């Protein structure tokens, strides 16, 4: 059975044409799936019974409940999803007063092998399909209350461009979820091969993982620096306007004694000079077999204050879900089930 979730309106039009149905049926199907959130073709009641039966012979909606859920003491919920290839991915729901953010995964594992990240430690197990990405959004009980989506879960989103770009289209298109791009953020390590395509195709917010202003030091933390140096990433970003709807954020995990001093703060200021951006400082969450330490809050605040005093907006991200291994850099499905 082929899955309808994740199909664009153009693809649905091709499907109904092949099944000899009226062209307007494609828009009806999109409305039933993306607006009304039905899980069964049989529930698409303004489509004739004969056409529903014909559609159901080859297709299903394709929304599947998570396999497991773990609830943090701070209200964060980590969901475990099983994929069509019998692999596992994790998704994190983060409630925060009037906001409800979902951190979605784009791959099973990750190729980037960042030193500090548990997802990278498990290796790469495959790309998620568009339907598997969107299922994380549609299948959770809190689906209808979401205010924001961040592609910051397992995997490097721009390493899976076809599925991710289609998912973004469904999320923001009038015939899809019809969300404003301002509600969606895509996080990347600076994968240059598809970064320009993302910037040209989408108005969603962009977050770049940087973690050190020094190329050699960044390369030790993030091997991708050797393939896509941060200086080249910044050269590309300077060609775009981030002063209006689309925002640019740099994510900076702070490690004790490594990148948390005034020297690094001033080097970061120099590196990002002239860019309309902000910096999100993130506390390092200790993971097994990694000899890095967490910086204390006082030092993080000093680092933040240096950036702010010199005109670069910096904030400290609140840590959520650490007790259930749902915090930044802690997602991994190796410890659970079959991989």
């Amino acid at each position: 059975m082929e899955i309808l979730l994740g199909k664009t309106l153009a693809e649905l039009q091709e499907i109904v044409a092949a099944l000899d149905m009226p062209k307007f049926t494609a828009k009806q199907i999109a409305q039933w799936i993306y607006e009304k959130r039905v899980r069964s073709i049989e529930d698409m009641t303004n489509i004739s019974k004969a056409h529903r039966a014909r559609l159901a012979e080859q297709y299903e909606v394709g929304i599947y409940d998570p396999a497991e859920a773990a609830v943090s003491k701070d209200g964060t919920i980590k969901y475990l999803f099983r994929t069509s290839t019998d692999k596992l991915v994790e998704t994190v729901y983060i409630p925060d007063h009037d906001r409800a953010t979902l951190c979605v995964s784009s791959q099973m594992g990750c190729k980037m092998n960042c030193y500090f990240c548990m997802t990278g430690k498990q290796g790469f197990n495959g790309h998620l399909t568009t339907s598997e990405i969107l299922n994380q959004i549609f299948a959770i009980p809190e689906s209808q209350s979401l205010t924001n989506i961040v592609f910051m879960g397992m995997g490097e989103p721009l390493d899976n461009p076809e599925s991710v770009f289609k998912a973004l289209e469904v999320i923001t298109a009038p015939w899809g979820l019809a969300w404003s791009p301002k509600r969606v953020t895509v996080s990347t390590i600076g994968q240059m091969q598809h970064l320009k395509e993302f910037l040209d195709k989408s108005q969603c917010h962009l977050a770049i993982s940087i973690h050190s202003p020094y190329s050699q030091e960044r390369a030790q933390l993030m091997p991708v620096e050797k393939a896509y140096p941060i200086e080249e990433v910044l050269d590309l970003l300077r060609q775009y306007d981030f002063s209006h709807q689309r925002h640019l954020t740099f994510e900076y995990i702070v490690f004790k004694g490594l990148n948390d001093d005034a020297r690094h703060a001033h080097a970061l200021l120099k590196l990002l000079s002239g860019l309309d951006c902000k910096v999100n400082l993130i506390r390092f969450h200790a993971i097994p077999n990694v000899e890095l330490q967490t910086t204390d809050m006082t030092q993080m605040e000093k680092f933040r204050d240096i950036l702010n005093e010199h005109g670069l907006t910096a904030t400290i991200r609140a840590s959520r879900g650490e007790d259930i291994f749902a915090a930044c850099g802690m997602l991994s499905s190796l410890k659970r089930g079959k991989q």
Side-chain angles (χ1 to χ4, degrees), residues 292-309:
L292 292 170
Q293 297 181 37
T294 303
T295 297
D296 62 69
M297 185 56 69
T298 300
Q299 190 65 25
M300 286 187 72
E301 289 172 348
K302 289 180 181 177
F303 195 98
R304 175 200 63 194
D305 291 346
I306 291 173
L307 299 183
N308 284 331
E309 287 164 5

Side-chain angles (χ1 to χ4, degrees), residues 273-315:
S273 176
L275 271 171
D276 198 319
C277 65
K278 69 176 184 178
V279 173
N280 207 346
L281 302 176
I282 303 168
R283 185 168 69 85
F284 171 61
H285 303 98
I287 63 173
N289 304 315
V290 171
E291 294 179 358
L292 292 170
Q293 297 181 37
T294 303
T295 297
D296 62 69
M297 185 56 69
T298 300
Q299 190 65 25
M300 286 187 72
E301 289 172 348
K302 289 180 181 177
F303 195 98
R304 175 200 63 194
D305 291 346
I306 291 173
L307 299 183
N308 284 331
E309 287 164 5
H310 289 80
L312 178 56
T313 301
T315 56

Side-chain angles (χ1 to χ4, degrees), residues 236-263:
L236 175 63
L237 295 176
R238 287 192 169 92
Q239 300 173 30
Y240 293 83
D241 183 2
F242 295 98
S243 63
H244 299 294
Q245 175 174 293
R246 180 167 57 189
H247 294 162
L248 173 63
T249 302
F250 289 90
E251 297 170 316
Y252 191 100
I253 297 178
V254 188
F255 305 104
K256 183 177 181 180
L258 177 66
N259 67 347
D260 62 349
D261 55 22
R263 178 175 67 92

Side-chain angles (χ1 to χ4, degrees), residues 82-107:
R82 189 170 295 279
T83 70
S84 59
T85 56
D86 204 31
K87 305 293 184 183
L88 299 169
V89 294
E90 295 183 326
T91 307
V92 182
Y93 170 75
I94 309 166
D96 185 19
H97 302 293
D98 59 343
R99 290 169 61 92
T101 300
L102 191 68
C103 179
V104 302
S105 295
S106 54
Q107 294 179 312

Side-chain angles (χ1 to χ4, degrees), residues 27-87:
K27 197 166 186 179
Q28 290 176 316
I29 295 170
Q31 186 177 44
W32 281 112
I33 296 172
Y34 300 127
E35 183 180 334
K36 298 183 179 180
R37 313 286 186 100
V38 299
R39 295 193 175 203
S40 169
I41 291 171
E42 187 56 36
D43 292 332
M44 300 178 183
T45 51
N46 63 350
I47 300 174
S48 73
K49 281 190 175 182
H51 287 162
R52 275 181 276 164
R54 195 179 306 167
L55 189 62
E57 287 175 1
Q58 298 181 42
Y59 297 92
E60 59 182 320
V61 173
I63 298 176
Y64 299 99
D65 289 331
E68 292 180 24
V71 183
S72 166
K73 60 187 179 184
D74 64 24
T76 299
I77 305 173
K78 182 170 69 172
Y79 290 104
L80 187 74
F81 286 94
R82 189 170 295 279
T83 70
S84 59
T85 56
D86 204 31
K87 305 293 184 183

Side-chain angles (χ1 to χ4, degrees), residues 187-190 207-211 218 222 230 249-252:
S187 176
T188 174
I189 43 73
I208 302 285
S209 297
I210 189 166
H211 311 316
R218 186 173 187 259
M222 306 171 67
I230 192 63
T249 302
F250 289 90
E251 297 170 316
Y252 191 100

